[in-house]
Amino acid sequence: MSTCLICTHPAEHARTACTRCEHRIRSWLGEIPRQAVLLTASLELGTRPAQGFGGAGRAHSPLPVRADVLTLLGPAAPGPVRDTTSDQSDRPPVHAVLHAWADQLAEDLGHMLPPITPRAPYADYLARHLGHIVRTGWVALMHDELNDLVRRIRAVTSTEPRRRPMDAPCPACGAFGLGHLDWAAYIDCEACGLLLTPDEYTDHHAVVMPALARTALALLVTQNTATRKAS
């Protein structure tokens, strides 16, 4: 067994990231293209007055779009930037983050980078080769940068994945901690970290739920009987 570079939990042999952290990265790579659509819709200024308007006025016209969204959607500078007007951001946009890691991946694999996808460049490419990424020494840094990127995107779109609890208990630890996060490929257990595919959960649900339903019914009958006797 090796150790996950992200969470320090045990990982399978030759892996530098555990299955749960791989699942989290895959979920982010699936979320970013969907969030990019909302980012584009959030680009134009709202109807509220922009900050800086008022009695004091301002020395120049405001941007016709939201600067924070433009920073996320805009292209990245190919080299160092001289910020003489103090209006540049040091936070990389979506394209820059994904392109940098896709470039690193392509170098590892000896690939030519595939044609760019305008809405979320290289998210699919990274996801397809995540099996290689979780065996590299740079997976933890990529995880941290994607985490920061997703947090910045969600701060603009005000849209976070919902977690829906599942009825059946976890087949590994018995806890009622199974849930499914929007855009995630797996159902996971918050208690022990087990991952189940939707088909695996369906099979598990079919096996355990009838017995649990009978137990719950028996407990309900016993409780009702005891209540009637007490009254």
Side-chain angles (χ1 to χ4, degrees):
M1 296 292 286
S2 55
T3 300
C4 177
L5 298 179
I6 300 169
C7 68
T8 71
H9 288 163
E12 296 176 11
H13 178 66
R15 288 172 59 110
T16 52
C18 66
T19 304
R20 191 170 178 83
C21 289
E22 177 185 1
H23 170 55
R24 187 182 306 114
I25 294 172
R26 189 179 300 279
S27 297
W28 288 338
L29 292 173
E31 176 182 350
I32 289 171
R34 295 170 171 86
Q35 291 277 24
V37 177
L38 298 178
L39 277 177
T40 303
S42 304
L43 185 58
E44 295 185 6
L45 290 173
T47 55
R48 293 178 301 171
Q51 185 177 1
F53 278 65
R58 60 191 301 162
H60 56 83
S61 299
L63 284 173
V65 294
R66 290 181 56 178
D68 56 342
V69 182
L70 190 62
T71 296
L72 281 163
L73 292 175
V81 176
R82 295 182 60 187
D83 187 12
T84 57
T85 58
S86 300
D87 62 356
Q88 301 297 313
S89 171
D90 61 352
R91 311 294 294 279
V94 173
H95 170 77
V97 174
L98 296 180
H99 180 272
W101 290 116
D103 193 51
Q104 176 65 62
L105 174 62
E107 182 178 341
D108 276 17
L109 299 176
H111 287 178
M112 292 291 291
L113 278 178
I116 195 168
T117 303
R119 289 195 306 178
Y122 302 121
D124 289 342
Y125 177 63
L126 291 167
R128 284 199 307 272
H129 297 285
L130 198 51
H132 170 80
I133 294 172
V134 297
R135 288 169 170 80
T136 68
W138 44 267
V139 63
L141 184 55
M142 174 178 153
H143 172 278
D144 291 346
E145 289 195 6
L146 288 178
N147 185 28
D148 176 70
L149 178 63
V150 168
R151 287 177 182 273
R152 289 191 289 132
I153 292 173
R154 291 175 182 173
V156 171
T157 64
S158 299
T159 302
E160 293 197 27
R162 298 169 302 165
R163 181 179 178 82
R164 296 187 297 277
M166 313 303 286
D167 295 332
C170 174
C173 69
F176 284 88
L178 291 175
H180 182 255
L181 197 68
D182 287 343
W183 308 323
Y186 293 92
I187 293 162
D188 68 280
C189 177
E190 289 185 312
C192 71
L194 179 73
L195 299 177
L196 296 172
T197 66
D199 287 344
E200 288 172 339
Y201 174 77
T202 298
D203 293 342
H204 169 62
H205 185 279
V207 170
V208 303
M209 291 308 291
L212 287 176
R214 289 193 297 269
T215 300
L217 180 60
L219 289 173
L220 182 61
V221 170
T222 301
Q223 183 180 15
N224 289 340
T225 302
T227 301
R228 285 198 301 268
K229 286 181 178 180
S231 60

